[in-house]
Amino acid sequence: MTAAVEVRDVCRAFHTRSGMMASEHVVRAVDGVSFNLQPGAVLGVVGESGCGKSTLARLILGLLPASSGDLLVDGRRLASLDRRERAQLIQPVFQNPYSSLNPRQRVRDMVGLLLAAQNDIPVSKRLDRVMEMLVRVGLSAEMAERFPKQLSGGQRQRVAIARALVLRPRIVVCDELTSALDVSVQAQSLNLLAELWRELGLTYVFISHNLAVVEHIATEVAVMYLSRFVEQAPVDALFWDPRHPDTQALLASVLTPEPDQGVPDGGLGDTYPDPADIPPGCRFHPRCPVVFDRCRTDAPDGIVRDGRLTECLRS
Amino acid sequence: MWPVLEVANLQVTFGDSVAAVRGASLTVNRGETHCLVGESGCGKSVTALAVMNLPARGTERRADVPRFHDTDLRRLSERGMARLRGNKVAMVFQEPMTSLNPAYTIGSQMAEVLQRHRRASRVQALDRAAELLGRVGITAPDIRLKQYPHQLSGGLRQRVMIAMALMCEPELLIADEPTTALDVTVQTQILRLLQTLQRELGLALLLITYDLGIVARMAQHVSVMYAGEVVESAPVEELFAAPTHPYTRGLLACIPVPGGLAARCTARQHSRRGAAHRAQLRRLCVPRPLRTRDAGVRRTNRLPLCRRGQGEGFGAARCTLLVLSPTTRETGPPLSLPIAARLAMC
């Protein structure tokens, strides 16, 4: 079976200069990420902010070219697809439905724009498909004539989802879908996504920093630290048996409702990672609570134990 | 017990139609964390803003005793209130994106607080700002001080807000969802910082959140708000061990805990409280801020069919919200709850 998304050793570097005469910094936002995602799977990507999750999403969507490495979507090289073909295969749902919807367009025009951009769909069929999709995501027909300001947060997110799905893509990339939303709207969007996933057989790449959300929706979880996947495993394995110290620290930081426990110490210290200055050896070693000598010199890249990627020399 | 903030019977109305807070009472003691929990729209943030005397236009506020130490906040002039805000009483607002001034650098915004209230020199104020930025986990504070808000990510801006609130070592800090936008690792770090400050300075903290994990770990006292009323108020252990109000019980039944952790969690009976509770919750409707003219019929209005009962005063739950009979069909949208709570129900 062809993988829905195949990523082979992808890197993306940004070159920044702090002043005109200053020397150039290279920020390696994604640094050698590889994974295979089977059709129908949901890959949750978690990690601290600034670890490169969103850059990875933009690479998979083809919104940013990779510096090196291969990206295959549905068995075809992403770089070889033109925009129309790409739009039919893979679509994004963005973070904030308050800013990602054009305030001056009606819902039907916004959703229909994707169909209009595909030259082969006749005008007469466009509105039918828009309406069908709006009903599919639980919006009534009269919503089609409305402007975004006339919609509630939950309805806007539904419009954003309808827009992503109207071309019937195989793969949907959700980047921090829930973090800008009110809790009740978060739940609505997630339930809708889960329902559409089951019914339409979609594949999701689901990026979030909320572990509870990822656990709910994902079938597979990757933990990203400083531009790399440091652990990747099926969802139950990862949450029940976290092996990488970063995963363990993330899970230890989740506050369970135990009044007598106090706020836990994640054990990662006060230093923060800087993607412009990736440490030698294991990139996690400056913060690692179980660091030993070899960590400072040997990079644990691509270590697989029991069929799980665990980039840790102790694993 | 040394009350820093006392508010009794706080009423906030917008215009003459919406009653956002209807008789909320709370006390925050020195060195204590008081958590205000409830879903969005229940009046938590409005309560905080009313205490800070920062109501939106067209808002009417009434309260029996809004007191900060011995100062009656009702009697305070706008100037007197301005002297208090940012100095003895500080607030961390919910949206870090909009609460910093985009036209000034982080450093000048932070320094202003100390210059104004403590008559510190700019250099002293900037030193203090750099020190605090370091404590909230911002690397290279000297560079950050020279940057503008748009150059920082959301998480960084939120940490700047927290550092700014702590500039004058306030006696009371009102924090409105201070860590909602942050990663779990940064969240624990900031919560630990707040606890340290509490030990060192006796800071009284009014923490507004919907995350019961934070409540459990931080609070000494918890008030649960629902539709503008404090429906239950109790010490944290009591609330988690024996919640009285059905709404509180529902909230506790749906605590978001990743499964692997839930199994190891000693208080897991709460998260496993079972299908019965979830079924009950699903039958409840979303409460809206009530229109004042509905006041007489509000209970029946909100909950189509409920056996009503009302507890007395504090400590007891004010049970204005009772579970629907199982035969009633729910018509409204389901009750909004923290995300994984809702997930647990579905």
Side-chain angles (χ1 to χ4, degrees):
Chain A
M1 195 156 56
T2 2
V5 181
E6 192 176 348
V7 173
R8 287 192 209 134
D9 202 24
V10 160
C11 298
R12 171 71 206 196
F14 294 100
H15 298 262
T16 57
R17 237 176 241 279
S18 45
M20 206 165 66
M21 306 299 281
S23 60
E24 199 174 66
H25 288 284
V26 178
V27 177
R28 303 171 74 82
V30 173
D31 190 15
V33 168
S34 305
F35 67 89
N36 255 327
L37 192 58
Q38 294 307 318
V42 179
L43 176 70
V45 181
V46 293
E48 296 177 314
S49 50
C51 72
K53 303 188 295 278
S54 293
T55 308
L56 181 68
R58 291 167 69 194
L59 288 170
I60 296 171
L61 284 165
L63 299 176
L64 266 181
S67 307
S68 67
D70 277 334
L71 279 144
L72 281 78
V73 174
D74 206 23
R76 300 160 73 188
R77 282 177 59 97
L78 197 63
S80 69
L81 299 173
D82 72 12
R83 286 170 63 178
R84 289 198 186 90
E85 289 173 307
R86 205 172 67 208
Q88 285 177 355
L89 276 177
I90 188 161
Q91 281 287 338
V93 181
F94 290 110
Q95 185 171 8
N96 190 343
Y98 290 85
S99 57
S100 65
L101 300 181
N102 185 340
R104 303 185 64 170
Q105 275 189 328
R106 291 181 195 278
V107 167
R108 65 170 153 76
D109 298 330
M110 255 183 293
V111 179
L113 187 65
L114 284 90
L115 298 170
Q118 302 284 337
N119 293 333
D120 53 349
I121 301 163
V123 183
S124 53
K125 280 206 178 150
R126 275 184 216 154
L127 196 61
D128 291 346
R129 278 186 64 176
V130 169
M131 292 319 233
E132 187 193 332
M133 193 37 78
L134 289 181
V135 171
R136 193 70 212 63
V137 299
L139 290 171
S140 59
E142 73 232 42
M143 297 289 175
E145 295 303 316
R146 296 208 185 167
F147 289 98
K149 68 174 179 195
Q150 295 167 303
L151 303 175
S152 71
Q155 289 168 337
R156 282 175 207 230
Q157 191 63 279
R158 281 169 200 272
V159 171
I161 292 171
R163 185 168 64 172
L165 294 177
V166 72
L167 285 175
R168 305 208 174 282
R170 309 269 179 79
I171 302 137
V172 178
V173 179
C174 310
D175 186 5
E176 295 281 5
L177 176 86
T178 56
S179 58
L181 300 172
D182 196 20
V183 276
S184 56
V185 182
Q186 280 184 6
Q188 284 176 20
S189 323
L190 276 182
N191 290 338
L192 175 64
L193 280 177
E195 194 183 301
L196 292 166
W197 172 67
R198 275 193 299 273
E199 289 173 18
L200 305 177
L202 297 166
T203 306
Y204 290 146
V205 177
F206 195 92
I207 291 172
S208 179
H209 67 260
N210 186 335
L211 293 167
V213 167
V214 167
E215 192 194 25
H216 171 71
I217 200 157
T219 58
E220 218 175 301
V221 182
V223 178
M224 207 166 173
Y225 181 81
L226 203 46
S227 324
R228 262 188 96 83
F229 280 6
V230 292
E231 180 160 10
Q232 189 184 352
V235 61
D236 290 338
L238 191 107
F239 278 91
W240 286 86
D241 179 22
R243 302 218 178 137
H244 195 279
D246 184 39
T247 317
Q248 289 165 356
L250 280 175
L251 285 171
S253 304
V254 173
L255 301 175
T256 51
E258 295 166 286
D260 47 350
Q261 297 282 305
V263 181
D265 184 357
L268 296 186
D270 291 339
T271 44
Y272 282 83
D274 179 3
D277 179 22
I278 293 176
C282 172
R283 58 192 62 216
F284 189 60
H285 86 256
R287 300 177 76 191
C288 185
V290 292
V291 62
F292 65 115
D293 286 346
R294 254 180 75 208
C295 300
R296 298 190 175 89
T297 49
D298 296 2
D301 291 357
I303 295 180
V304 176
R305 290 269 189 281
D306 313 333
R308 292 168 56 169
L309 176 77
T310 315
E311 292 201 336
C312 179
L313 294 172
R314 282 205 186 256
S315 67
Chain B
M1 287 292 159
W2 186 354
V4 174
L5 176 76
E6 269 184 284
V7 183
N9 194 22
L10 178 75
Q11 315 251 0
V12 182
T13 48
F14 299 143
D16 31 319
S17 59
V18 181
V21 180
R22 299 173 293 126
S25 303
L26 45 94
T27 307
V28 190
N29 293 309
R30 187 164 190 275
E32 187 192 80
T33 305
H34 191 121
C35 277
L36 203 53
V37 255
E39 59 199 82
S40 36
C42 74
K44 311 186 294 273
S45 299
V46 176
T47 303
L49 289 172
V51 168
M52 288 293 273
N53 215 349
L54 290 170
R57 244 177 294 159
T59 309
E60 196 187 322
R61 184 191 68 159
R62 282 190 309 279
D64 289 350
V65 274
R67 243 205 328 260
F68 175 70
H69 285 302
D70 292 329
T71 321
D72 186 341
L73 295 178
R74 283 174 305 183
R75 298 253 174 87
L76 223 50
S77 63
E78 187 46 42
R79 254 197 128 135
M81 196 66 214
R83 267 202 294 277
L84 214 58
R85 278 196 293 252
N87 188 10
K88 298 261 179 65
V89 188
M91 182 157 179
V92 178
F93 294 97
Q94 199 170 358
E95 309 96 13
M97 300 296 172
T98 50
S99 40
L100 289 167
N101 189 332
Y104 291 89
T105 58
I106 301 297
S108 69
Q109 292 184 57
M110 288 185 73
E112 188 197 356
V113 185
L114 212 63
Q115 287 175 288
R116 232 191 125 104
H117 291 297
R118 294 288 154 88
R119 300 180 179 269
S121 73
R122 194 172 166 81
V123 179
Q124 285 173 327
L126 284 173
D127 281 351
R128 169 92 179 132
E131 180 204 325
L132 277 171
L133 287 184
R135 290 194 72 174
V136 294
I138 292 180
T139 43
D142 295 318
I143 298 169
R144 297 296 182 201
L145 284 175
K146 294 193 190 95
Q147 287 183 322
Y148 288 89
H150 74 266
Q151 291 169 296
L152 307 184
S153 70
L156 281 178
R157 278 186 243 189
Q158 186 63 288
R159 282 184 259 176
V160 168
M161 285 294 297
I162 292 166
M164 198 192 289
L166 299 173
M167 282 294 278
C168 288
E169 302 187 342
E171 288 169 46
L172 171 68
L173 179 68
I174 301 178
D176 191 356
E177 313 244 359
T179 55
T180 307
L182 304 178
D183 297 328
V184 281
T185 45
V186 182
Q187 168 172 293
T188 51
Q189 202 186 4
I190 282 177
L191 295 180
R192 287 174 73 86
L193 171 72
L194 289 174
Q195 284 186 332
T196 312
L197 290 166
Q198 241 173 353
R199 269 197 308 277
E200 288 171 9
L201 311 170
L203 176 78
L205 181 62
L206 177 61
L207 188 64
I208 298 174
T209 181
Y210 61 80
D211 185 339
L212 284 159
I214 297 181
V215 173
R217 305 301 185 98
M218 289 291 287
Q220 277 84 51
H221 203 92
V222 189
S223 293
V224 182
M225 266 188 102
Y226 181 85
E229 284 178 36
V230 174
V231 291
E232 181 162 4
S233 183
V236 66
E237 296 87 4
E238 254 173 57
L239 188 99
F240 277 82
T244 323
H245 197 280
Y247 178 64
T248 317
R249 284 210 293 266
L251 278 176
L252 291 176
C254 305
I255 287 174
V257 180
L261 289 175
R264 277 176 249 156
C265 167
T266 51
R268 64 179 177 268
Q269 68 272 22
H270 295 310
S271 44
R272 280 221 229 125
R273 210 171 269 270
H277 268 303
R278 287 169 201 156
Q280 284 171 358
L281 275 166
R282 229 176 305 178
R283 287 188 205 105
L284 300 174
C285 305
V286 177
R288 299 236 151 63
L290 294 163
R291 308 208 170 264
T292 31
R293 63 182 150 79
D294 296 340
V297 290
R298 65 192 184 208
R299 289 194 181 101
T300 46
N301 196 23
R302 189 158 83 227
L303 296 166
L305 184 74
C306 71
R307 285 161 286 148
R308 57 165 296 195
Q310 193 160 12
E312 293 297 320
F314 264 121
R318 307 216 304 166
C319 189
T320 54
L321 176 134
L322 281 168
V323 178
L324 297 179
S325 90
T327 49
T328 320
R329 291 287 302 164
E330 175 226 357
T331 45
L335 183 70
S336 54
L337 280 175
I339 171 64
R342 293 274 294 107
L343 301 177
M345 287 154 49
C346 303

